[in-house]
């Protein structure tokens, strides 16, 4: 062997099979590296996995327009698509390292280590990282993967039967015009070395798969303790229960969104590639900043011991396009945020307070900026720990999240919250603002047709057109439906639960055969009607009329 890891003895010319096996070796080494890293991450912190760490870094640096496109194109699968893309790029990198190792074993193995170093750097520089231990999974995985690649390629280069006329200058080097001097081993030894290569590759892959499966089955100690703390949480009885939902608030129309969105169906839009699982017993909330008389640190027990309220509140994501799915209604249980702020000495700007922005920070490093005035104007802004009668699901912010009716989620609905800082909009830009979004974003009046579905084929006769409309904290006064270019007809509004929830609506349509366009618009509690022109979701939410096209068929 020379300094680069190439054999110094006589060797044969590299074949296509050798190159294919080297590429396969790179893939196997990368797979084993990731499996080992994930296994170690399960014992350290799942967020420290190299794919998650690198993916999170990519998310933070991705332009807002590209993120919006991903949400539109892939919906709640956008994170899975991102991780798949990272794995595909890693596969290409792995093939390249395998081919490099065929020429220079040491350099190929070192390249695997370089990728591990990238993963380690991404892990320790994440906002939610508080320990150098986050680098360990990537470094250990890279060390194992690099060593395996070195060994695998060594099987191809063993005993002078390796892939390629390996010299210090690389594969296929020749002296003068003639063939390489020295004996050339026959195909028998080469096949034997390839068989040894395949045995090592297969056994390593199987061992890594088993280790990864074991790690997933056993789970992370941190995740297990978090799951146990959620299971042990007993929600307090609300001192102020939610008002009963009026009987007429839930029209029995097939295809319409239910008044209360089940937890499993509630939309989820955030940047977390791995859902944070926080131990409720160890969770703390820090309240500090401008206008806070004395900094507070609260436990979940401190919050649940306070006066709790229960409210039905509809949340909407600013990424929701006209007619989109990113809106839902749930019954939240928590403590009034305004009460907590006033007890800490905080005053809104209208009362002379120095802070006009409340910056909420999540355990994953997300920052959400909320206007202090709106939080303290009397609306039911909550630090919520209950959702639809159970502790918050991990996906929706357990153990505690913010809920502020009337504001889009990116300026109000901080999940996995761990601190609240009082500051000003001039002094600090929360996560989304430098990425092109508005610092303040009240929910816009919207309405949606749930049934009939786009391109549906209902039968002629009476067709029930139905859907939902929302204008949180203003309420919905009227919903109108138009067929083709005909006149607007007023729909039947279901009973209003509160002005902070959506309202269902229905319109019986005498449908004639043919192709028709159904359009809906809503008027909010202030008398303002949805504008017709559609706008983009940036910088502060989409608006415009929702319409669907259907083909009415002759009745049977």
């Amino acid at each position: 062997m020379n300094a680069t890891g190439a054999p110094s003895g006589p060797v044969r010319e590299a074949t296509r099979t050798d190159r294919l096996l080297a590429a396969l070796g790179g893939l196997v080494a990368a797979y084993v590296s990731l499996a080992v890293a994930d296994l170690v991450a399960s014992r350290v912190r799942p967020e420290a996995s190299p794919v998650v760490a690198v993916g999170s870094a990519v998310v933070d640096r991705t332009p807002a327009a590209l993120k919006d496109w991903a949400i539109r194109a892939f919906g709640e699968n956008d994170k899975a698509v991102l991780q798949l893309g990272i794995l595909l790029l890693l596969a290409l990198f792995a093939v390249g390292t395998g081919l490099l190792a065929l020429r220079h074993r040491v350099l190929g193995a070192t390249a695997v280590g370089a990728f591990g170093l990238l993963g380690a750097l991404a892990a320790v520089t994440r906002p939610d990282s508080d320990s150098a231990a986050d680098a360990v999974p990537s470094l250990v995985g890279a060390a194992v993967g690099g060593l395996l690649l070195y060994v695998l390629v060594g099987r191809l280069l063993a005993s002078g039967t390796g892939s390629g006329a390996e010299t210090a200058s690389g594969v296929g080097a020749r002296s003068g015009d003639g063939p390489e001097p020295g004996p050339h081993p026959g195909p028998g030894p080469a096949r034997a070395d390839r068989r040894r290569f395949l045995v090592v590759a297969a056994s390593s892959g199987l061992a890594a798969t088993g280790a990864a499966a074991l790690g997933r089955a056993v789970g992370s100690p941190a995740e297990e303790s978090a799951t146990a703390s959620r299971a042990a949480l007993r929600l307090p009885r609300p001192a102020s229960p939610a008002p009963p939902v009026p009987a007429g608030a839930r029209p029995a129309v097939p295809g319409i969104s239910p008044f209360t969105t089940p937890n499993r169906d509630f939309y989820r839009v955030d940047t977390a590639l791995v859902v944070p699982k926080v131990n409720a017993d160890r969770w703390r909330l820090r309240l500090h900043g401008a206008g806070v008389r004395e900094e507070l640190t609260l436990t979940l027990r401190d919050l649940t011991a306070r006066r709790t309220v229960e409210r039905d509140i509809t949340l909407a994501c600013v990424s929701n396009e006209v007619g989109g799915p990113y809106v839902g209604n749930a019954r939240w249980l928590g403590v009034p945020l305004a009460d907590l702020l006033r007890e800490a000495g905080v005053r809104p700007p209208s009362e002379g307070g120095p802070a006009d922005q409340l910056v909420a920070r999540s355990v994953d490093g997300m920052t959400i900026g909320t206007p202090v005035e709106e939080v303290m104007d009397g609306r039911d802004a909550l630090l919520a720990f209950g959702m639809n009668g159970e502790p918050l699901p991990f996906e929706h912010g357990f153990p505690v999240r913010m809920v502020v009716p009337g504001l889009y989620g990116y300026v109000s609905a901080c999940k996995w919250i761990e601190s609240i800082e009082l500051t000003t909009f001039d002094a600090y830009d929360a996560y989304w603002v430098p990425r092109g979004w508005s610092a303040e974003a009240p929910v816009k009046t919207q309405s949606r047709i749930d049934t009939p579905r786009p391109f549906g084929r209902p039968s002629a006769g009476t067709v029930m057109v139905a859907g939902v409309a929302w204008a949180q904290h203003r309420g919905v006064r009227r919903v109108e439906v138009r067929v083709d270019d005909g006149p607007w007809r007023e729909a039947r509004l279901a009973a209003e639960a509160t002005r902070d929830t959506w309202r269902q609506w229905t319109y019986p349509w005498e449908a004639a055969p043919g192709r028709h366009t159904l359009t809906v618009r809503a008027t909010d509690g202030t008398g303002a009607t949805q504008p017709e022109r559609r706008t983009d979701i940036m910088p502060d939410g989409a608006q415009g009329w929702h319409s669907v096209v259907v083909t009415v068929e002759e009745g049977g």
Side-chain angles (χ1 to χ4, degrees):
M1 290 288 175
N2 56 39
T4 64
S8 56
V11 290
R12 59 181 171 79
E13 183 73 21
T15 67
R16 175 182 295 181
T17 300
D18 295 325
R19 289 190 287 271
L20 287 175
L21 288 176
L24 175 62
L27 288 172
V28 171
Y31 173 72
V32 171
S33 178
L34 289 181
V36 170
D38 282 345
L39 177 62
V40 176
S42 71
R43 315 315 293 173
V44 175
R45 203 169 68 97
E47 292 85 348
S49 166
V51 172
V52 173
V54 172
S56 297
V58 170
V59 169
D60 288 345
R61 291 161 178 78
T62 298
L66 184 56
K67 287 182 183 178
D68 300 335
W69 173 83
I71 292 174
R72 288 195 300 271
F74 305 113
E76 296 186 21
N77 295 318
D78 59 335
K79 299 173 184 64
V81 171
L82 171 62
Q83 291 179 319
L84 178 60
I86 291 173
L87 291 175
L88 289 175
L89 290 175
L90 176 59
L92 293 176
F93 174 81
V95 168
T97 57
L99 295 175
L100 174 62
L102 189 60
R103 296 172 62 92
H104 303 289
R105 290 173 71 191
V106 173
L107 290 182
T110 301
V112 177
F115 186 82
L117 186 61
L118 175 64
L121 184 63
V124 298
T125 56
R126 287 287 301 152
D128 58 332
S129 176
D130 59 0
S131 171
D134 284 352
V136 173
S138 292
L139 295 178
V140 172
V144 173
L147 177 61
L148 177 61
L149 181 59
Y150 189 88
V151 170
L152 286 173
V153 173
R155 295 300 88 205
L156 295 177
L157 303 176
S159 304
T161 64
S163 320
E166 294 275 336
T167 68
S169 59
V171 175
R174 298 181 181 274
S175 59
D177 297 326
E180 184 74 22
H184 287 250
R191 283 196 296 268
D193 285 322
R194 288 166 181 165
R195 282 196 296 270
R196 284 194 288 270
F197 169 93
L198 292 173
V199 169
V200 174
S203 58
S204 299
L206 288 173
T209 301
L214 177 62
R216 293 181 183 276
V218 172
S220 151
E223 290 185 345
E224 290 177 357
S225 65
T227 301
S229 71
R230 182 179 182 272
L233 179 62
R234 297 294 176 263
L235 296 178
R237 185 181 300 275
S240 175
V245 177
R250 297 185 175 103
V253 177
I256 195 172
S257 299
F259 176 78
T260 300
T261 308
N263 290 353
R264 66 180 180 277
D265 297 331
F266 207 93
Y267 76 90
R268 178 196 165 204
V269 177
D270 53 55
T271 64
L273 295 186
V274 172
V275 174
K277 292 192 174 180
V278 182
N279 187 321
D281 299 326
R282 299 173 186 167
W283 175 83
R284 298 292 184 272
L285 175 68
R286 180 188 178 203
L287 175 62
H288 63 110
V292 175
R293 183 172 52 245
E294 183 178 353
E295 181 175 316
L296 299 177
T297 300
L298 302 167
T299 66
L300 183 57
R301 180 170 296 181
D302 292 332
L303 288 184
T304 57
R306 296 173 61 88
R307 174 182 174 272
T308 58
V309 301
E310 182 185 60
R311 295 290 184 267
D312 291 316
I313 298 172
T314 296
L315 297 186
C317 180
V318 74
S319 297
N320 199 44
E321 294 186 306
V322 173
Y326 302 130
V327 59
N329 186 63
R331 176 161 289 187
W332 307 95
L333 176 68
V335 299
L337 179 53
D339 290 356
L340 186 63
L341 294 176
R342 288 193 180 278
E343 289 178 22
V346 177
R347 291 172 295 143
S350 60
E351 297 177 15
D356 62 4
Q357 180 179 209
L358 178 158
V359 176
R361 286 182 171 82
S362 168
V363 300
D364 71 341
M366 174 58 65
T367 55
I368 300 290
T370 309
V372 174
E373 195 68 48
E374 275 79 347
V375 170
M376 302 184 73
D377 68 358
R379 71 186 71 196
D380 289 312
L382 302 176
L383 286 174
F385 38 74
M387 180 180 183
N388 289 334
E390 65 177 78
L392 283 174
F394 287 111
E395 292 80 1
H396 296 293
F398 182 84
V400 179
R401 66 171 295 164
M402 275 179 57
V403 173
V404 182
L407 302 179
Y408 282 118
Y410 86 99
V411 295
S412 67
C414 184
K415 297 188 284 190
W416 315 293
I417 189 172
E418 67 174 2
S419 78
I420 296 174
E421 179 182 4
L422 278 298
T423 182
T424 65
F425 285 103
D426 289 338
Y428 186 83
D429 286 336
Y431 181 89
W432 292 108
V433 176
R435 291 163 171 80
W437 297 89
S438 296
E440 301 185 50
V443 171
K444 295 180 178 179
T445 302
Q446 286 285 1
S447 53
R448 185 181 72 198
I449 298 172
D450 287 342
T451 184
R453 306 293 294 176
F455 309 111
R457 305 184 72 87
S459 298
T462 302
V463 174
M464 190 62 72
V465 184
V468 290
W470 60 93
Q472 293 95 305
H473 209 57
R474 299 185 304 279
V476 174
R477 178 182 297 180
R478 183 171 61 253
V479 170
E480 298 166 288
V481 175
R482 185 178 70 184
V483 180
D484 299 322
D485 293 322
W488 288 101
R489 302 295 186 185
E490 192 161 347
R492 183 182 303 122
L493 273 178
E496 181 181 70
T498 75
R499 63 178 180 168
D500 290 335
T501 63
W502 59 12
R503 293 185 75 174
Q504 296 170 308
W505 56 267
T506 56
Y507 175 73
W509 169 41
E510 293 304 319
R515 188 172 183 268
H516 300 283
T517 299
L518 305 173
T519 307
V520 64
R521 70 181 184 185
T523 300
D524 68 22
T526 69
T529 300
Q530 280 181 259
E532 176 181 6
R533 188 175 70 90
R534 289 198 179 191
T535 62
D536 190 31
I537 59 175
M538 289 189 73
D540 58 0
Q543 60 184 8
W545 296 343
H546 182 223
S547 60
V548 299
V549 176
V550 299
T551 300
V552 179
E553 300 180 331
E554 294 280 359

